[in-house]
């Protein structure tokens, strides 16, 4: 069953949920999202609102529906390696993904404590070969995972019940580095990384 929906529009999210309620949904994959490269000062507020609506509000709403209406199942929320540290020049995008990661981990724990058998995993990939960079107005300066590889590793991690899924060695190293490095080092590195993506 295919349902066309623009997740920037709350009425479309409601329509999607209405359709989903008619089906025996046991797995929810919250994959919709986009980013924009540019300074906080120069990105338009309308662009950022659409990003927040898609990356946060839509995901939050669909997760809320699933948790309130299911006793068991699987949820894969797609965040990003950007969730682990602030990202100058992609400040809003990074903040939305930090929200996804924090929300996912907290709700996962709540489900465990309440006895619900809902397994929530968060996928935190680096570059994946999609149209993301075109929409963001950037180009990746490191090797990208294929969509197929990322999806295979994500689904495997989901059904193994992993809390976080880091699908490549560079993402694992970046995660490890974000734990050790002070913010005074992280911020300049992130700024340089994002600036190097400019087309």
């Amino acid at each position: 069953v295919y349902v066309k929906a623009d997740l920037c529009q709350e009425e479309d999210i409601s329509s999607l949920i209405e359709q989903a309620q008619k089906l025996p949904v046991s797995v929810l994959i919250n994959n919709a999202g986009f980013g924009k490269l540019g300074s906080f000062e120069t990105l338009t507020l309308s662009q950022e609102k659409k990003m927040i609506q898609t990356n946060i509000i839509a995901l939050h709403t669909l997760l809320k529906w699933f948790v309130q209406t299911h006793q068991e199942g699987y949820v894969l929320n797609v965040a990003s390696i950007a969730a682990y540290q602030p990202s100058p020049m992609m400040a809003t995008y990074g903040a939305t993904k930090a929200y996804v990661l924090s929300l996912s981990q907290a709700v996962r724990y709540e489900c465990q404590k309440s006895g619900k058998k809902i397994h929530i995993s968060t996928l935190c990939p680096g570059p994946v070969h999609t149209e993301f960079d075109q929409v963001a107005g950037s180009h990746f300066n490191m090797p990208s995972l294929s969509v197929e590889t990322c999806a295979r590793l994500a689904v495997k991690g989901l059904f193994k019940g992993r809390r976080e899924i880091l699908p490549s060695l560079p993402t694992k190293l970046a995660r490890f580095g974000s734990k050790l490095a002070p913010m005074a080092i992280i911020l300049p590195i992130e700024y340089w990384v994002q600036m190097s993506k400019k087309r």
Side-chain angles (χ1 to χ4, degrees):
V1 176
Y2 295 90
V3 179
K4 184 178 179 180
D6 179 356
L7 297 187
C8 286
Q9 307 297 325
E10 292 202 32
E11 57 269 23
D12 278 23
I13 301 171
S14 298
S15 177
L16 178 61
I17 289 173
E18 285 179 17
Q19 295 296 320
Q21 286 172 337
K22 302 172 185 176
L23 303 168
V25 178
S26 59
V27 179
L28 169 64
I29 298 178
N30 270 317
N31 184 52
F34 71 95
K36 285 290 183 182
L37 178 64
S39 72
F40 184 78
E41 179 183 7
T42 58
L43 287 179
T44 68
L45 184 58
S46 63
Q47 287 176 318
E48 292 178 308
K49 282 184 173 180
K50 286 180 180 179
M51 197 188 311
I52 291 167
Q53 176 68 34
T54 304
N55 296 8
I56 292 179
I57 303 298
L59 179 143
H60 185 116
T61 304
L62 291 166
L63 177 62
K64 174 80 78 173
W65 162 74
F66 194 92
V67 170
Q68 289 183 333
T69 58
H70 291 68
Q71 291 299 315
E72 61 182 16
Y74 292 87
V75 178
L76 180 68
N77 287 332
V78 180
S80 166
I81 194 63
Y84 294 112
Q85 65 279 314
S87 298
M89 301 303 292
M90 288 195 83
T92 302
Y93 173 76
T96 66
K97 294 305 182 178
Y99 181 95
V100 171
L101 178 61
S102 178
L103 179 74
S104 300
Q105 293 186 344
V107 177
R108 173 191 171 99
Y109 187 77
E110 288 180 13
C111 288
Q112 290 172 346
K113 296 301 285 184
S114 69
K116 284 196 171 190
K117 296 180 180 179
I118 297 177
H119 305 279
I120 301 174
S121 298
T122 311
L123 175 65
C124 297
V128 180
H129 191 66
T130 68
E131 69 278 9
F132 177 91
D133 55 339
Q134 297 168 8
V135 174
S138 66
H139 70 278
F140 294 133
N141 50 15
M142 60 185 293
S144 300
L145 281 180
S146 71
V147 172
E148 293 79 10
T149 298
C150 187
R152 177 173 50 79
L153 294 172
V155 171
K156 182 179 179 181
L158 174 65
F159 290 127
K160 282 189 173 182
R162 289 183 182 162
R163 185 180 64 194
E164 296 171 45
I165 303 165
L166 296 157
S168 67
L169 180 59
T171 55
K172 290 181 174 71
L173 292 174
R175 172 67 179 120
F176 181 72
S178 71
K179 288 182 176 181
L180 299 179
M183 199 58 66
I185 292 176
I186 288 175
L187 288 170
I189 290 174
E190 278 295 310
Y191 181 79
W192 175 81
V193 167
Q194 301 305 338
M195 289 295 288
S196 69
K197 293 178 182 178
K198 286 185 125 182
R199 289 183 177 275

